Amino acid sequence: MRLAVPLESIPGEDRVALTPDSVARLVKAGHEIRLQAGAGVRAGFSDSAFAHAGASVVEAPSLYEGVALVCRVQPPSPGEIPLLPEGIAVLAMFAPSRNRPLLELLAARRVTALAMELVPRITRAQSMDVLSSQSTVSGYKAVLLGATALPKFLPMLTTAAGTISPAKVFVIGAGVAGLQAIATARRLGGVVSAFDVRPAAREQVLSLGATFLAAELVSHASETAGGYATAQSDEQAQRTRDALTGHLKDIDLVITTAAIPGRDAPRLITAEMVSGMKAGSVIVDLAAESGGNCELTRPGETVHANGVAIIGPLNVPATIPFHASQMYGKNVLALVTHLSRDGALVIDATDEITGPMTVVRDGHVTTS
Amino acid sequence: MRLAVPLESIPGEDRVALTPDSVARLVKAGHEIRLQAGAGVRAGFSDSAFAHAGASVVEAPSLYEGVALVCRVQPPSPGEIPLLPEGIAVLAMFAPSRNRPLLELLAARRVTALAMELVPRITRAQSMDVLSSQSTVSGYKAVLLGATALPKFLPMLTTAAGTISPAKVFVIGAGVAGLQAIATARRLGGVVSAFDVRPAAREQVLSLGATFLAAELVSHASETAGGYATAQSDEQAQRTRDALTGHLKDIDLVITTAAIPGRDAPRLITAEMVSGMKAGSVIVDLAAESGGNCELTRPGETVHANGVAIIGPLNVPATIPFHASQMYGKNVLALVTHLSRDGALVIDATDEITGPMTVVRDGHVTTS
Amino acid sequence: MMILELYIFVLAAFVGFMVITKVPPLLHTPLMSATNAISGISLVGSLVAAGGKHGQVATILGFVAVVCATANIVGGFLITDRMLKMFKRDVPASHAASKQ
Amino acid sequence: MMILELYIFVLAAFVGFMVITKVPPLLHTPLMSATNAISGISLVGSLVAAGGKHGQVATILGFVAVVCATANIVGGFLITDRMLKMFKRDVPASHAASKQ
Amino acid sequence: MRDHIVQLTYVIASVLFILGLRSLTHPDKARRGMQFAALGMLVAVCGTLVNHDIVDYRWIISGLILGTLIGYPLGMWVPTTALPQRIAMSLSFGALAATLVGVSEYYNAFHGGGGDIETAKMMALGFEVLLGSLTVTGALMAFGKLQELLPSQPITYRGQNLVNAVLFLGAVGLLVTVVVNPAAAYAFYGMMGIAALLGVLMVIPIGGADMPVVVALLNSYCGLAAAATGFALGNSILIICGALDGASGFLLSIAMSKAMNRSFSNVLFGAFGGGPATAAIATSGAPVRSISAEDAGMLLAYAQRVIIIPGYGMAVAQAQHTVRELAEQIEKRGGEVKYAIHPVAGRMPGHMNVLLAEANVPYDRLYDMDEINGEFPQTDVALVIGANDVVNPAARSDPASPIYGMPILDADKAKHVIVLKRGMAAGFAGIENALFNAASTSMLFGDAKASLVKLVSEVKNA
Amino acid sequence: MRDHIVQLTYVIASVLFILGLRSLTHPDKARRGMQFAALGMLVAVCGTLVNHDIVDYRWIISGLILGTLIGYPLGMWVPTTALPQRIAMSLSFGALAATLVGVSEYYNAFHGGGGDIETAKMMALGFEVLLGSLTVTGALMAFGKLQELLPSQPITYRGQNLVNAVLFLGAVGLLVTVVVNPAAAYAFYGMMGIAALLGVLMVIPIGGADMPVVVALLNSYCGLAAAATGFALGNSILIICGALDGASGFLLSIAMSKAMNRSFSNVLFGAFGGGPATAAIATSGAPVRSISAEDAGMLLAYAQRVIIIPGYGMAVAQAQHTVRELAEQIEKRGGEVKYAIHPVAGRMPGHMNVLLAEANVPYDRLYDMDEINGEFPQTDVALVIGANDVVNPAARSDPASPIYGMPILDADKAKHVIVLKRGMAAGFAGIENALFNAASTSMLFGDAKASLVKLVSEVKNA
Ligand SMILES: NC(=O)c1ccc[n+]([C@@H]2O[C@H](COP(=O)([O-])OP(=O)(O)OC[C@H]3O[C@@H](n4cnc5c(N)ncnc54)[C@H](OP(=O)(O)O)[C@@H]3O)[C@@H](O)[C@H]2O)c1
Ligand SMILES: NC(=O)c1ccc[n+]([C@@H]2O[C@H](COP(=O)([O-])OP(=O)(O)OC[C@H]3O[C@@H](n4cnc5c(N)ncnc54)[C@H](OP(=O)(O)O)[C@@H]3O)[C@@H](O)[C@H]2O)c1
Ligand SMILES: NC(=O)c1ccc[n+]([C@@H]2O[C@H](COP(=O)([O-])OP(=O)(O)OC[C@H]3O[C@@H](n4cnc5c(N)ncnc54)[C@H](O)[C@@H]3O)[C@@H](O)[C@H]2O)c1
Ligand SMILES: NC(=O)c1ccc[n+]([C@@H]2O[C@H](COP(=O)([O-])OP(=O)(O)OC[C@H]3O[C@@H](n4cnc5c(N)ncnc54)[C@H](O)[C@@H]3O)[C@@H](O)[C@H]2O)c1
């Protein structure tokens, strides 16, 4: 089957959907790859590296010739959709809950759209799970951003010029990104605590050597079968806020990652809580994209309030494009392997993995 | 004795020369502190915290009333010098080798100038040593800057989306900043190697779990009695360059800290070496201020050449103002304690510590 | 004066306890077969019975005892040796291998 | 039949070696004074000499031997005890203290 | 003079026996030590042959030759898996020899020309024959059960304990009788018969799996019988060897019942009515072999190639530092240790990496699944530390399993697998793991950190 | 019957002695065990008193009372620092008792009415008296040297070894004579005299500092003398105790010379000509006490409060993980461990923090200099790991020192200081450190990591 990898068009998106090593594996498996010239350069992969791996590096106009599946990181812009041949399939992180209009456009063009973030979180599909792979990047980078912005050291240092006490780091939401943030902050020497609503999270937090806040607030009701969180009841939310308010007074760096699939991020840190924090503290809100866990977060900006800096970074994985692309590419590789049967693309709506991720098919948007 | 702490006037200088805890100790020792309103705010210390510690928070005009010693981080700007009462003493990082004209101005005003960076590096004076304390900050921050700019992870990660190999970090110059950079990069999971010309550095590098490059290039001749490095001979320098060229090809993140006191930083990385490095690599040149260890470094800017980013940060300690000020303040505290006898300021040119650091005295610049 | 023999018994039991408590469990099977072989020492008694001039009955009993005890000893030591052979590691060889 | 006594000696020496190799060096001084006290067992022989009917000389020699051996035993055990007392840790007390 | 030589050879033999047993403390030296013990035996036998009392060597020589002919195949050809039954049989031989010597002594005293027999000697002879004949039949029964000539299930009936107690008292009564009146031959032979019966009855209610404990205990009895022979003949080497055997057999039977998580008395009496055949915490019926830290430590200490497979349990136990210590200890002894990191081990990408880096495990010891899977067949021990799903063979073989198709670490292909876990709980995927029931797998139950601490010191002291 | 009772008490006493000595393996149980041994002694004495041979109790009772009166103050009032000389004196008492018993036996055989004496017994008596009288005078000399009644320097002269050898051969010749002809009283008493002289001559060339080795060796001789007594009297408890003493004295003297870094023969013969008074690696003349890992481990295992002072040497040795292990082991035994971090320990600010954080030492165990300096006087052991300048008291006391005025960690105020270093090299400042010569300081030489590994296992097994 023939695949196309275009140059990402969204500004700041430095990743590429396949990297030379994944390309090489696909070529070996009998696939054909057409790569738009320069697609990998911003991520650190030259055209020649791709060519060496067996891809045909082509210019935009001829990119889609004979292509069955387009592998992208971000969905095509409305302007790019007309360039897609009808009946082609596109693989990307469509963020379907936020991109309904775009999906309609794709449906109109009779393009099949496969949303990478809807790969179900079953054991078998772990190698295709871009949420995990890209959240890993976000969690790591969030700590670096926070530590860089912090007017303090993270580690403890005993020096001739006095003892530096270690920074207190608090991670809200101990999913994939949160756990990675915990691990990274611990590595840098911070004293890390964390909070989550899912009961399984507690042991996982402890397994990284951090402490868990307010274990009593955790409830089994907060976890769905897939391991995701559910929204909290009002009363629960209030109790959570009370516990957080007290704890935050003491914290130097906060990393928030709380998310509920398909919904806006829960508002966990209010403006009032921020005003109770120490001057010089920093909040990195990884949920900025879906509205932010902090009331004051402005996506893509850094807000200063009461001496506290609230950073709302967007598209964090794209800031570590080399490795983020490498992992994304491995995910795509695994998925393509799953989707191709005897060298042809098979989109089986009844398949446990393919079904849920097919968001546009046969001219219809199939997701709610 | 009465001390004054002004608000630093240089843009980007967020540190303050004393912090509330040092102030409290000085007050307890019988000194009087006058602090310009807002002096500590950018470092995270409010006026009220200073007042609470026993300082008088005053506005600029009355700052120097009855003051014997002014404690600063950066030297006063030429515009501020006329404001200083004649005969007053000023403590700051004067960088005397680069600031001759300023020293002349101070001499003309009959101000005594004490250069903090000239505190001799003897065991007894370690608590007054701002080079050590501020280099600690630089070394730590340099790694954070580099890691943030890097399109890769530092640590190794084995994930469902493939294995991320750890980044290779190379630290040139294993003085105070270099060692701290080694430690920080190791913490983050990088594979660290280092290079220095002083023989003692090798054991110190190994003592942090990093590897040492080209031990055969090290020579005892490269170390002065004070533990500083001397300039290399041309032939030595050439051999060093050869060794580095080969090693750099493989490196993801380079931190350079090589310095020779009173001279321009040695040029260790040539443009040609940079062109041999991998695309996506990053160089953080901590020597940017004194000309840079890399030929392409432009102080205060980030240069991109051949896909390699060369960061030349200036005044790095000021970017961690809280702890940098805390340590600087502790240094000042120790020095003030040393300088005051029976509550009066005593500048004894024959003193082992005071002598070398007095750069302007009795209307003369006393440093070469 | 069986009292001296009692001393010997007590002291030997002591030695036995002290030696055996230190044998690691992995060697318990070899230990069992080793003590089993050593218990063939009753051969010493059997020999006297078989070779002494105490009449036919004693000789026959003694002969059977000699056969049993000898089988016990020979078989016991041989099998112990076989088992212990498995614990001998060819250390130099392994080092050589890992150095390649 | 001194051979039985030889067995006893050999076995006892065995026991002695095995027991003593395991005593940590810190307890070597108590060990020395303990074995010293135990060597006072020659009192047993002295008693027979002092109390037996073997004439004046034997009685006097025996008496002196009894005095020496007794002094040895009493002093030896007492001082060993004093030394060992120093190794007894009041563990419960320390735990209580650390819990405060 | 001759007598002195005999005695001297006995002293030498005793010392060699003791040193031989002592050498078993160190697997490296054990073989050498036991060879010396065998030499000791030779010395003692040669010494005995110069004895005054021996006048006729014909029977002796033929006996020695015949015995060797029987013993050699028993020693060299019996497969090591059949060891317990071999020991049982050889035990019954040894006990028979002791019993026969006793009988011949008794017989001589009254028929062979001797007149009376002194009380102490009679007591010794009585004990010898009592313990000896009990061991002969008991060991034969054990052999039968182990060899599966007899049903290995416990055979029980009502009042069994009572019958045995009555028989035992009867034997003791006859012993007293014959001690008081040595000429009462009926009592002597009667006691022998009852003891032989008792040997059978004592063993039949014990299950085949518990037989090794019984064999060890019978070994101890056999030793005591030999010691009694020594008392009777005034032969100190018999006393010494008997005491050694008695002590070791006793300790061994206790240690073995402990290893089976059974009390000693439970093995001997509790099985009446049929206890479990193997000590096992079983899932869904399939048996699981548990291993002690000592044995696991010994396996690791003598392994050439070890692969450590860390999982989420290592993280929960925060055992990463202890893992490194263990690896260091194994390497110090010349073994080679690699870490196999499964892509989804733990609960976040790179979970194991973070922890092992914290513990300072060098990166070049960590191997990807693809890199290492080929090495398992050559691996002596795969040490699975709190991992479960990532080593579940169902992923390879069972299409119905929720993890089917996930690539796994082929731990099951290693020669031995040791799994450190707290119990038989499932992992993240919530499914059972057939690896734990595999023949090559042993479970070391307990918190991973605690188990590892034990393993470190076992390996260090091995 | 009586005889049986006596023998039974002896068996019990022997067992109690052995158990008592065995208890010394565990400091916790040692006291209890030795009390049982003392009980054993009482049992044996009481048993002896019912002996047939004893007809007159007056001398016995007075002897026991007098002996107790002498022994009590020797046991209770002698300061523990004077222990070696006390043991030496008590040794000479014990040896005297054995010798006198021998003499009285010999005397009885020829004067007290007895006729001849069999060869074996004579040999035993001869050995007894030979070893006994040698020990009496040797121990007295050792006592004199230790108590400084005699000059503690070795006293030597030319041909000393030759003289001793001749005397020794003479004594052996007389021994042979008296064994061959037991009636040769001159030989018996002559041998005794020569042995006594030999005791004196053997000890005078050995220096005071080596005396403990000599005392241990004499202890072994005394034991052998007691064993010989046992052979002579046919008394097995004497044989057992003698053998125990003989073995232990011998092992101890070897262990002690090893701890002094001297070979055994070097102690006994090498000192001719005057070896060093203490085994020491000395700086500028001042002596330094080195300590073995076993002793250091024991100190740590039984310490309540331990402060660890890491320095640059810990970093060089990369021993941070092992430090944490050691702390964990100490804490497991109930001790409390704190880390004292000096502001300039290591070679970069925060050097120790990075390493200890890597080893997962919790932050709240790390104490600043100011926080912890007050705690040293209450600290049992300050464990200095590769630190030097930061614990140099010269900084407090010596205005001429280049580090004068630098605040330091007051390690010297702790009850014991154990310093882990490779040798006596100076630290960064290049100056000597008087802490290493302090009376409370012991040096554990070697790479810090290697030493710590040993300490961990010592503490674990203590
Ligand atoms: N890596 C990722 O990114 C990620 C993310 C989410 C989910 N997952 C899933 O997590 C699983 C990872 O597999 P795994 O083999 O690492 O773990 P696992 O299958 O979850 O098994 C962990 C085992 O460790 C044992 N354990 C727990 N605490 C212990 C302790 N203190 N001491 C000893 N044992 C302990 C548990 O058994 P006992 O209770 O009997 O002791 C359990 O069976 C996979 O199913 C994977 O799909 C991975
Ligand atoms: N912290 C800073 O920022 C900084 C910066 C520059 C200088 N300094 C200076 O560095 C010194 C620090 O004091 P310190 O007490 O930490 O160190 P130190 O005084 O330099 O002493 C270190 C000691 O460790 C021993 N050592 C080295 N390697 C060892 C090994 N593998 N195993 C065991 N011992 C080993 C050495 O003795 P052996 O060779 O006998 O074993 C040495 O005496 C101070 O003088 C300070 O002024 C500190
Ligand atoms: N089966 C698999 O193979 C697999 C793979 C990857 C992840 N997972 C699991 O999926 C789960 C979710 O991972 P994710 O990171 O994508 O989740 P996510 O991004 O949806 O949410 C991040 C975290 O925020 C938490 N959260 C939600 N509301 C909160 C609130 N009000 N307060 C505090 N925290 C709140 C969630 O519990 C979650 O842990 C995890 O349990 C993870 O282990 C499973
Ligand atoms: N006595 C004390 O208490 C004390 C206190 C602090 C620092 N020091 C010592 O002072 C020394 C210098 O420290 P610093 O960080 O201020 O030095 P620095 O900032 O002057 O130089 C940084 C490093 O660059 C190295 N360097 C110079 N030329 C080089 C070249 N051509 N190639 C590679 N490396 C080169 C130097 O050796 C030095 O290690 C160190 O040895 C440090 O331990 C001593």
Side-chain angles (χ1 to χ4, degrees), chain D residues 5 20 22 24-28 35-36 39 44 51 53-54 57 59 71-72 75 79 81-83 89 94, chain F residues 10 24-25 31 35 55-56 59 71 75-76 78 83 86 90 94 107 219 235 239 245 248 295 298 304 333:
Chain D
E5 273 118 8
I20 280 140
K22 287 199 289 184
L26 201 68
L27 291 186
H28 277 174
T35 51
N36 184 226
S39 78
V44 159
K53 260 266 162 296
H54 306 289
V57 178
T59 306
N72 200 350
I79 204 156
D81 193 58
R82 265 176 66 201
M83 273 186 275
R89 258 209 304 185
S94 95
Chain F
Y10 286 3
L24 285 175
T25 318
R31 196 176 171 210
Q35 287 167 350
V55 291
D56 183 347
W59 287 105
M76 296 306 284
V78 169
L83 262 179
R86 204 215 66 87
S90 147
Y107 183 86
N219 204 354
N235 183 324
I239 299 181
D245 272 19
S248 87
D295 278 352
M298 210 39 95
Q304 294 279 338
R333 301 183 54 94

Side-chain angles (χ1 to χ4, degrees), chain A residues 121 126 129 132 174-176 196-198 227 229 232 257-259 268, chain E residues 428:
Chain A
R121 277 185 157 179
Q126 278 176 112
D129 180 8
S132 281
V176 176
D196 198 311
V197 287
R198 289 179 301 115
Q232 291 186 301
T257 76
L268 297 167
Chain E
F428 185 85

Side-chain angles (χ1 to χ4, degrees), chain E residues 161-174:
Chain E
N161 275 332
L162 188 71
V163 171
N164 287 354
V166 168
L167 283 175
F168 180 70
L169 288 178
V172 170
L174 291 174

Side-chain angles (χ1 to χ4, degrees), chain A residues 123 126, chain E residues 311-313 316-317 344-349 386-390 420-428 446-448:
Chain A
T123 304
Q126 278 176 112
Chain E
Y312 182 55
V316 172
V344 301
R347 288 290 183 275
M348 70 164 203
N388 190 339
D389 299 341
V390 301
L420 273 58
K421 262 174 120 275
R422 294 167 306 184
M424 290 300 292
F428 185 85
D447 177 75

Side-chain angles (χ1 to χ4, degrees), chain B residues 229-248:
Chain B
T230 58
Q232 290 186 297
S233 70
D234 282 353
E235 186 250 337
Q236 269 180 319
Q238 185 50 47
R239 282 202 291 150
T240 305
R241 258 179 256 122
D242 291 347
L244 293 188
T245 307
H247 192 60
L248 283 171

